[in-house]
Amino acid sequence: QMLLLLLSLALGAEPGAGALRLNSTEGCEIIHPPRDGGIRYRGLTPDQVQTVRFLPFNYEIEYVCRPDREIVGPKVRQCLRNGTWTDMSHPSRCRESPTLWKAVHIGALFPMSGGWPGGQACLPAVRMALEDVNSRRDILPDYELRLIHHDSKCDPGQATKYLYELLYNDPIKIILMPGCSSVSTLVAEAARMWNLIVLSYGSSSPALSNRQRFPTFFRTHPSATLHNPTRVQLFKKWGWTKIATIQQTTEVFTSTLDDLDQRVKEAGLEITFRQSFFSDPTSPVRNLKRQDARIIVGLFYETEARKVFCEVYKEKLYGKKYVWFLIGWYADNWFRIKDPAINCTVAEMTEAVEGHVTTEIVMLNPENTRSISNMTSQEFIEKLQKRLGKNPEETGGFQEAPLAYDAIWALALALNKTSAELVKKGLRLEDFNYNNKNITDEIYRALNSSAFEGVSGHVVFDASGSRMAWTLIEQLQGGVYKKIGYYDSTKDNLSWYNNDKWIGGAPPADYTKVITTFRFLSQKLFISVSVLASLGILLAIICLAFNIYNGHVRYIQNSQPYLNNMTAVGCTLALAAVFPLGLDGYHIGPGLFPFVCQARLWLLGLGFSLGYGSMFTKIWWVHTVFTKKEEKKERRKTLEPWKLYATVGLLVGLDVITLAIWQIVDPLHRTIEEFTKEDPKTDIDVSILPQLEHCSSTKMNTWLGIFYGYKGLLLLLGIFLAYETKSVSTEKINDHRAVGMAIYNVAVLCLITAPVTMILNSQQDAAFAFASLAVVFSSYITLVVLFVPKMRRLITRGEWQSEQQDTMKTGSSTNNNEEEKSRLLEKENRELEKIIAEKEERVSELRQQLHDRQQLRSRRTVPTLYQPSLPLVRCLVSEQADKLGRSNCDGSRVHLLYK
């Protein structure tokens, strides 16, 4: 201390000059010298130094060391007005002279020019880090890190040349530090052959995360896939599970998207739509719109981003329903830059990009905390700017400079840990050579377990050797990017500012929520038709009761009442089918729907077979009897009712068999028809999916073809038979003309309704209206045409009429009976003409006998062997041919002839 005092006096300080207030409390507390060194206290004697506790403001002290030592840290400190010394965060100490340290060499490639001139800022940052590390005696105390570097120009060919020089020229390099992704790929593939660790500060390609291809590669620059954990975290925060993507077809974006796909699956999310393009994004953007994409991740370069969002504006794929996620390293005004490749205005582009979210790797710690180098991130930036001496925006790699700085610290800490582990094995760092894999493995393990606070944030490597860093989250609000949060993927910590803004007031839904609604039958229509059907059933019951009650009346008997009863029952069943036709999910549950389907089928099928089949049987018999040749008519003139009933039974049995096979083999069940989604008028994130219930089976068309096929043939055949027998009159079936009219109406309605209902199958109201009203009207017409005339006849003429009167009045009119008699007389006349031809030769012999018989007429009855005279026979023939018109023939003789 005396020596230090003498030195200070030699510098011009006089003892006692400028008296100091040695016992004053106004100043800074005195600092004592470090180990192996001393402090110059200007103007103080050794005795005063022993007694003084505080030194005055603005007082300066100077550190000195022994000749074989050097000072580390601030050499001069000054007392500040707040009572502290300057730079107290950096301790001052003495260490051995560097000439005694062992050098550890680093081979580096800095791109000072080329596609990414990151070396312009990264090289000064690395030199700063080397100075700070080498000044620390608690890190590699016996070693000094030294740098050997070349300019790779971000060119793999140039890098190959310098890599050869680094490997084959002394000294041995313990690690390699490339910059660009393309150069790092080359160096990392070759490094394993020399047992070298590669630590990159500026490579972001996801391909470098392949541990099988690059087993010794690490990087402090995060991979481009680091955006993906942040995106997944945001998807979870806002409750989105369905994501769409659109990417430019380049390796970096494809691999990034593949990683995103894997991460969203692990998180229980889903990428629903994935679009890509090379240069024209028109079709992919249109596809996103068509597929109703809401949350869209876009991966493309800045120039392509302008093309994409021009198409986004045209397709209206923006606004409160959509959220876009973009890369955050675009220029802040990228969407305002005029681009001849697009035809959208700046205003249109600004409107289209509003509200999108960006993610960007944090390369500078946003928090004001001190790193392992005892500097904050802002202090580092200020120090680097002084060293650069020019505008940072004009310096390549300025943003990546903190990563390069922390790369040296990561290396130093790993080598420090490795050195301690090697001592246990009797090895040292200077023993490293390109054939020593043991030291390489120790360095690998040390780097792989690195974890410290750097100026770029928390430094840690994942399993693939990539840096895990924070991600900055920004949102474009009012045309300006606003920070809305940070995400630390290493700690799964989301720092949120709660200043995110949404056009719709809240984050939109990730998909249009589909609300299923069933289209039910109009209840007013169903009730109206049901009332008509009920009245029809009542009318059928009345007709049936009338027919049964008056079954003994000859007029009713001649209309084949049992067939008419079947018609009434068939109409009742068909009308009853209207009720299950109108039942749907509004009235019954899904479990009962198959039974309703079967009820529809059976009621309609059996109702048609009974109702139409009985009428068809009548008209078929009439046609068979009265449109054939005379000899066949004779054989069929006797009506056998059991044949009519058997015909109806055959038709009904055919239906029963067909329906039973259908129900057993391929039963009807409930099916759902979905229609085009509809947008509601109020909620933009809700879409209505209309659905309609149907009765169907697996081979529905085949069964309908069979069913409609033979029913259609019956209808067409019925129309033909009705037309053929329109002029026929018969007493056996006196209402066949009414039956023909009913067949016309039923056939026309059925032939029209069946195809129309198939066409209108998706329109429940129209289909039900056509089908049910066809059933109702055909049933009404059938009942009215067949039964109302009978009711009217019996009511107006009286049911008590004699059987003879009923016989004289059978048929639909008197003319019908006379026509029947006329046909019978014509037949008898033809027989008489035949007899006349045979007996003509005997006429002369019989004339005398005839004269004698006339004289005895008044006294005796007609002889048994009476033969008429020729004039009388001819008169009879003539009169019969005249259809019983007036004649001058003797009426009594005519009577005898009939007898």
Side-chain angles (χ1 to χ4, degrees):
Q1 290 179 350
M2 284 297 296
L3 176 62
L4 296 178
L5 179 60
L6 292 175
L7 289 174
S8 64
L9 291 176
L11 293 175
E14 297 181 2
L20 296 174
R21 294 182 295 173
L22 302 180
N23 57 353
S24 174
T25 58
E26 296 181 1
C28 301
E29 188 174 1
I30 193 170
I31 298 176
H32 295 285
R35 182 181 178 180
D36 297 331
I39 298 178
R40 291 192 180 97
Y41 299 97
R42 294 188 178 90
L44 293 180
T45 64
D47 294 336
Q48 290 175 325
V49 172
Q50 295 294 331
T51 58
V52 171
R53 293 183 55 195
F54 293 92
L55 295 176
F57 298 128
N58 297 325
Y59 187 85
E60 292 184 352
I61 60 174
E62 181 180 2
Y63 291 89
V64 293
C65 294
R66 291 178 180 178
D68 59 342
R69 300 284 191 272
E70 68 174 6
I71 190 70
V72 177
K75 192 174 184 178
V76 177
R77 299 185 187 275
Q78 184 181 30
C79 180
L80 302 176
R81 302 295 296 179
N82 58 4
T84 62
W85 296 97
T86 57
D87 295 328
M88 286 302 294
S89 59
H90 300 279
S92 298
R93 59 186 177 84
C94 296
R95 68 174 182 181
E96 294 180 357
S97 174
T99 56
L100 303 177
W101 297 343
K102 304 176 183 66
V104 177
H105 293 90
I106 303 169
L109 297 173
F110 291 97
M112 307 305 292
S113 59
W116 178 68
Q120 296 177 5
C122 290
L123 178 57
V126 166
R127 286 173 173 164
M128 287 174 53
L130 290 174
E131 293 173 3
D132 293 340
V133 167
N134 289 331
S135 66
R136 291 275 294 269
R137 285 299 87 197
D138 57 335
I139 301 176
L140 297 173
D142 299 326
Y143 299 93
E144 180 182 21
L145 297 179
R146 294 181 182 177
L147 181 68
I148 300 175
H149 64 90
H150 298 282
D151 179 13
S152 68
K153 299 181 181 179
C154 207
D155 178 22
Q158 191 78 8
T160 303
K161 170 188 174 182
Y162 291 123
L163 176 62
Y164 181 87
E165 293 181 4
L166 290 173
L167 293 175
Y168 288 97
N169 293 336
D170 289 333
I172 292 177
K173 287 75 180 177
I174 200 169
I175 199 168
L176 298 177
M177 291 184 63
C180 300
S181 294
S182 57
V183 172
S184 296
T185 301
L186 169 71
V187 173
E189 280 190 307
R192 60 180 176 177
M193 306 303 296
W194 278 267
N195 293 315
L196 280 169
I197 299 294
V198 179
L199 179 60
S200 176
Y201 54 88
S203 304
S204 63
S205 174
L208 290 167
S209 298
N210 187 342
R211 261 288 177 249
Q212 295 180 349
R213 184 180 175 188
F214 311 106
T216 61
F217 179 78
F218 292 87
R219 53 181 166 184
T220 55
H221 192 296
S223 169
T225 59
L226 191 62
H227 296 266
N228 293 333
T230 306
R231 291 171 180 142
V232 172
Q233 185 69 20
L234 293 178
F235 298 156
K236 291 181 179 179
K237 174 179 174 58
W238 287 318
W240 296 328
T241 59
K242 298 182 182 297
I243 314 301
T245 62
I246 179 172
Q247 64 154 117
Q248 186 179 356
T249 52
T250 60
E251 187 275 336
V252 62
F253 297 135
T254 300
S255 55
T256 301
L257 192 53
D258 291 340
D259 177 78
L260 178 62
D261 191 12
Q262 180 179 355
R263 290 180 184 274
V264 297
K265 288 180 180 178
E266 293 173 355
L269 311 180
E270 178 186 7
I271 293 182
T272 54
F273 310 114
R274 186 167 176 171
Q275 299 291 325
S276 61
F277 66 94
F278 181 73
S279 60
D280 184 10
T282 303
S283 295
V285 172
R286 188 178 296 116
N287 290 337
L288 290 176
K289 177 70 174 182
R290 186 182 303 112
Q291 294 163 347
D292 192 33
R294 298 298 189 87
I295 312 303
I296 308 169
V297 177
L299 301 176
F300 28 72
Y301 289 113
E302 181 177 321
T303 54
E304 305 304 319
R306 284 189 283 270
K307 296 180 182 179
V308 169
F309 275 88
C310 184
E311 296 301 323
V312 166
Y313 177 82
K314 295 176 182 178
E315 296 294 333
K316 303 301 178 185
L317 200 63
Y318 65 94
K320 56 185 178 181
K321 294 171 58 176
Y322 305 96
V323 178
W324 281 84
F325 282 80
L326 302 181
I327 303 171
W329 39 259
Y330 299 162
D332 287 349
N333 63 340
W334 65 271
F335 53 90
R336 296 190 180 95
I337 297 175
K338 292 184 178 181
D339 191 340
I342 63 175
N343 56 358
C344 294
T345 65
V346 174
E348 292 172 344
M349 292 290 292
T350 303
E351 182 180 354
V353 300
E354 180 63 24
H356 77 264
V357 178
T358 65
T359 54
E360 183 177 0
I361 303 299
V362 176
M363 301 181 185
L364 189 67
N365 192 348
E367 298 181 358
N368 191 26
T369 57
R370 296 198 173 275
S371 64
I372 193 171
S373 63
N374 205 26
M375 279 194 302
T376 64
S377 56
Q378 292 302 318
E379 290 173 350
F380 167 77
I381 291 298
E382 293 173 0
K383 189 174 181 180
L384 179 62
Q385 288 178 342
K386 291 180 181 179
R387 183 176 288 256
L388 293 175
K390 61 179 180 179
N391 186 1
E393 296 181 359
E394 299 176 357
T395 305
F398 184 80
Q399 290 183 339
E400 290 77 12
L403 305 179
Y405 182 86
D406 285 343
I408 295 299
W409 275 98
L411 173 62
L413 293 173
L415 292 178
N416 188 61
K417 186 176 182 179
T418 301
S419 178
E421 293 296 326
L422 291 177
V423 170
K424 299 176 183 179
K425 299 179 181 181
L427 297 174
R428 297 173 299 175
L429 287 178
E430 57 267 29
D431 295 333
F432 174 80
N433 58 60
Y434 298 144
N435 296 318
N436 195 330
K437 192 173 185 300
N438 292 330
I439 297 179
T440 301
D441 292 341
E442 288 295 336
I443 299 174
Y444 178 91
R445 284 190 286 269
L447 264 178
N448 199 41
S449 60
S450 295
F452 64 93
E453 295 297 328
V455 294
S456 62
H458 188 69
V459 179
V460 65
F461 301 102
D462 62 13
S464 63
S466 298
R467 164 78 179 278
M468 304 297 292
W470 282 33
T471 307
L472 170 65
I473 308 166
E474 294 183 315
Q475 186 182 38
L476 190 68
Q477 301 176 2
V480 179
Y481 284 103
K482 301 288 185 181
K483 294 180 181 180
I484 60 176
Y486 288 92
Y487 178 66
D488 182 3
S489 57
T490 59
K491 300 178 181 178
D492 193 24
N493 179 38
L494 180 64
S495 302
W496 201 248
Y497 295 168
N498 290 318
N499 62 340
D500 50 317
K501 294 182 180 179
W502 305 98
I503 300 175
D510 57 340
Y511 67 99
T512 302
K513 185 178 181 181
V514 178
I515 299 178
T516 300
T517 59
F518 282 94
R519 290 181 175 178
F520 296 125
L521 180 65
S522 170
Q523 296 307 298
K524 293 181 179 179
L525 176 62
F526 177 57
I527 293 173
S528 301
V529 177
S530 298
V531 171
L532 291 176
S534 300
L535 295 176
I537 293 174
L538 180 60
L539 176 61
I541 294 173
I542 293 173
C543 293
L544 181 61
F546 165 81
N547 219 44
I548 295 173
Y549 181 77
N550 295 286
H552 64 283
V553 179
R554 175 66 61 84
Y555 179 67
I556 299 299
Q557 290 178 349
N558 288 342
S559 66
Q560 296 300 320
Y562 292 108
L563 291 180
N564 289 341
N565 293 344
M566 293 180 187
T567 302
V569 173
C571 290
T572 303
L573 294 177
L575 288 169
V578 170
F579 301 104
L581 276 175
L583 293 179
D584 51 22
Y586 185 83
H587 306 93
I588 59 175
L592 296 177
F593 208 86
F595 299 101
V596 173
C597 294
Q598 297 295 342
R600 296 176 183 178
L601 187 62
W602 282 90
L603 288 175
L604 280 176
L606 296 181
F608 180 87
S609 296
L610 282 173
Y612 181 80
S614 59
M615 294 190 295
F616 175 82
T617 301
K618 282 186 180 183
I619 208 71
W620 170 78
W621 185 85
V622 172
H623 180 271
T624 302
V625 172
F626 293 98
T627 60
K628 299 297 180 180
K629 295 181 179 179
E630 295 299 330
E631 57 273 14
K632 293 184 179 180
K633 285 185 182 179
E634 283 300 313
R635 292 196 298 266
R636 300 188 183 184
K637 64 180 179 180
T638 302
L639 178 60
E640 299 179 0
W642 70 270
K643 293 183 179 181
L644 301 180
Y645 307 148
T647 304
V648 177
L650 178 63
L651 295 176
V652 174
L654 184 61
D655 264 5
V656 171
I657 294 173
T658 304
L659 294 178
I661 295 175
W662 187 351
Q663 185 173 358
I664 295 172
V665 175
D666 190 15
L668 290 174
H669 57 272
R670 177 177 178 262
T671 58
I672 302 298
E673 179 185 3
E674 294 185 351
F675 298 88
T676 304
K677 295 177 183 178
E678 301 173 355
D679 294 328
K681 297 180 180 180
T682 55
D683 197 337
I684 61 173
D685 292 326
V686 173
S687 180
I688 298 175
L689 178 61
Q691 293 183 339
L692 183 62
E693 296 171 305
H694 290 291
C695 289
S696 183
S697 58
T698 305
K699 297 182 179 180
M700 186 70 171
N701 292 334
T702 302
W703 293 110
L704 287 179
I706 297 173
F707 208 67
Y708 286 166
Y710 81 85
K711 296 289 186 184
L713 290 177
L714 282 178
L715 291 171
L716 294 176
L717 184 57
I719 294 176
F720 170 75
L721 296 178
Y723 177 78
E724 286 290 310
T725 59
K726 64 181 179 179
S727 60
V728 174
S729 296
T730 176
E731 186 179 339
K732 301 295 183 180
I733 302 178
N734 57 19
D735 60 352
H736 77 280
R737 290 185 176 178
V739 170
M741 184 180 297
I743 287 177
Y744 283 141
N745 287 279
V746 172
V748 170
L749 285 173
C750 291
L751 292 175
I752 292 176
T753 303
V756 170
T757 52
M758 293 183 67
I759 295 173
L760 300 177
N761 194 37
S762 298
Q763 303 179 31
Q764 70 279 9
D765 290 343
F768 174 76
F770 265 92
S772 60
L773 291 179
V775 172
V776 169
F777 287 153
S778 61
S779 299
Y780 269 91
I781 291 173
T782 300
L783 293 172
V784 169
V785 169
L786 288 184
F787 293 96
V788 171
K790 297 179 178 61
M791 294 179 182
R792 180 174 175 274
R793 181 182 181 88
L794 295 186
I795 292 173
T796 57
R797 300 193 179 187
E799 186 179 350
W800 55 87
Q801 290 177 328
S802 64
E803 186 173 321
Q804 182 180 359
Q805 290 174 325
D806 289 337
T807 303
M808 295 294 294
K809 298 174 181 179
T810 53
S812 59
S813 65
T814 304
N815 292 333
N816 292 339
N817 296 332
E818 292 178 350
E819 290 175 0
E820 181 70 18
K821 293 179 180 179
S822 175
R823 281 192 290 271
L824 292 174
L825 290 176
E826 287 177 355
K827 179 180 178 181
E828 292 177 357
N829 285 341
R830 285 192 291 270
E831 293 177 353
L832 289 174
E833 287 177 349
K834 183 178 181 181
I835 294 172
I836 291 171
E838 294 175 353
K839 302 297 183 179
E840 189 128 28
E841 58 188 21
R842 298 178 57 192
V843 170
S844 58
E845 298 177 359
L846 295 176
R847 285 181 179 177
Q848 184 63 39
Q849 294 179 12
L850 178 61
H851 177 71
D852 295 338
R853 300 286 190 246
Q854 288 177 349
Q855 292 179 353
L856 297 175
R857 176 185 177 192
S858 58
R859 298 192 299 270
R860 49 195 290 188
T861 57
V862 179
T864 304
L865 297 175
Y866 171 75
Q867 294 294 333
S869 63
L870 183 58
L872 177 61
V873 173
R874 290 180 177 175
C875 176
L876 178 61
V877 172
S878 176
E879 291 299 326
Q880 296 300 332
D882 197 30
K883 294 185 180 179
L884 300 179
R886 292 180 178 269
S887 67
N888 296 322
C889 296
D890 191 328
S892 61
R893 295 178 180 175
V894 174
H895 174 73
L896 290 175
L897 177 61
Y898 278 114
K899 190 172 180 180

